[in-house]
Amino acid sequence: MEYDTLIPQDREPIGKDPFTFHCHPDVPCFLKCCRDVHLPLYPYDILLLKKQLGITSGEVIERYTELTEGSHPYFPGLRLKLFDDTARSCPFLSGDGCTVYVNRPTSCRTYPLERGLECTGKGGDIKVHHFLTHHPYCKGHFESRTYTLKQWERDQNLHQCNLMNDLWAELDAFFATNPWVGEGQAGPYQRLAFMAVYNIDDFRSYTQQHHIIEQFKLPKDERRRIQKDDESLLQFSFKWLESILGGRKRLLKK
């Protein structure tokens, strides 16, 4: 099947040509996209919300997320848990807008663009595709402000999100090979993987309890970053999981 046939009708592939969009309080649809939405949350999104809300990753997961299907049958995903009201509103929505805007999830930050990642094969590179969405209710497309893809990514501070989500996509593509075959759904290794990628505070405690970081050859500065910084620990967790589950050996044992 040709790749182009998989693109939904309300998605338009974009390249270097500029697009028109501007969201602000004076557009009639303001905040409509913050209600009744299926919003996936990636591992880095949990870190962003944890930082913004000043709570643990476990509390973020318990209060604001629910399990959902992942990109394949072999590993679950998380999505934002909406308010149980008529409008099914985002829990971070106020009358003035988003209360977590500085550290909002990737999908909110990227909108009206969507970023698709295509795996080119086992061990291959990730190919990136960008699409412009066209939801009928959105009037931001009729505003006069224009952006190129690079300008939008810079304006929305997407560089680090894209970096972390690309690393996650590589690991998730490995999970799609079902590396825990034989242990069943939600078996011990799958539960360990879920904790390592989503609950960074519990994973930090796990690495300390089992002296995980000390088992590998790492430069001193990288080791210090992993021990102190959530983003560095998350990147380590991706490498560690693939190594222990039989994927590429991204870490060297001592």
Side-chain angles (χ1 to χ4, degrees):
M1 181 179 294
E2 292 294 330
Y3 181 80
D4 289 346
T5 65
L6 302 176
I7 301 174
Q9 292 184 353
D10 59 350
R11 305 293 190 274
E12 174 189 349
I14 63 170
K16 296 182 179 180
D17 293 335
F19 61 92
T20 302
F21 185 79
H22 186 205
C23 180
H24 56 90
D26 293 330
V27 292
C29 60
F30 187 59
L31 304 183
K32 185 172 178 59
C33 59
C34 304
R35 299 182 174 94
D36 196 20
V37 61
H38 179 101
L39 190 77
L41 294 173
Y42 306 117
Y44 187 60
D45 293 332
I46 303 300
L47 263 61
L48 291 174
L49 291 173
K50 169 185 182 297
K51 178 180 179 181
Q52 182 68 27
L53 298 169
I55 59 179
T56 67
S57 51
E59 289 173 308
V60 172
I61 293 169
E62 182 178 358
R63 297 181 192 178
Y64 300 109
T65 77
E66 55 190 8
L67 278 176
T68 186
E69 292 182 356
S71 61
H72 53 79
Y74 303 113
F75 197 73
L78 290 178
R79 68 180 177 187
L80 185 67
K81 184 191 299 181
L82 302 176
F83 275 140
D84 188 17
D85 57 8
T86 303
R88 299 187 71 243
S89 304
C90 170
F92 307 121
L93 182 62
S94 73
D96 297 324
C98 179
T99 60
V100 296
Y101 187 81
V102 174
N103 287 298
R104 62 200 183 281
T106 304
S107 296
C108 304
R109 191 179 298 267
T110 306
Y111 189 85
L113 303 186
E114 289 188 4
R115 189 170 181 269
L117 301 176
E118 178 188 5
C119 296
T120 58
K122 186 175 181 180
D125 294 331
I126 298 291
K127 187 175 182 180
V128 180
H129 302 272
H130 291 90
F131 308 94
L132 182 64
T133 64
H134 292 282
H135 294 138
Y137 62 78
C138 182
K139 307 304 179 185
H141 295 285
F142 301 100
E143 297 292 296
S144 59
R145 187 171 296 184
T146 61
Y147 294 91
T148 64
L149 174 60
K150 288 187 177 181
Q151 287 171 337
W152 184 256
E153 289 180 332
R154 184 168 59 249
D155 187 78
Q156 302 300 312
N157 295 316
L158 277 162
H159 175 76
Q160 190 64 14
C161 284
N162 290 343
L163 170 64
M164 296 298 291
N165 291 336
D166 287 355
L167 295 175
W168 162 239
E170 290 185 32
L171 180 63
D172 193 42
F174 169 64
F175 287 171
T177 67
N178 194 14
W180 22 68
V181 62
E183 73 168 27
Q185 187 177 15
Y189 275 108
Q190 193 175 99
R191 292 198 305 271
L192 176 63
F194 187 89
M195 180 262 290
V197 300
Y198 285 120
N199 195 334
I200 200 67
D201 292 309
D202 278 8
F203 182 59
R204 186 177 298 283
S205 298
Y206 181 88
T207 62
Q208 294 170 351
Q209 179 183 356
H210 296 278
H211 306 286
I212 300 296
I213 298 171
E214 291 79 8
Q215 297 174 18
F216 299 95
K217 296 179 180 179
L218 297 167
K220 289 183 179 180
D221 58 340
E222 183 179 355
R223 189 185 304 274
R224 284 194 294 267
R225 287 196 303 271
I226 292 170
Q227 291 170 339
K228 295 181 179 180
D229 176 65
D230 283 348
E231 291 184 18
S232 298
L233 180 59
L234 183 60
Q235 291 184 52
F236 173 82
S237 79
F238 293 167
K239 297 176 183 177
W240 178 72
L241 284 169
E242 190 163 356
S243 296
I244 67 169
L245 291 173
R248 286 178 284 180
K249 296 298 181 183
R250 297 179 176 271
L251 296 169
L252 294 176
K253 281 266 193 179
K254 285 185 176 179

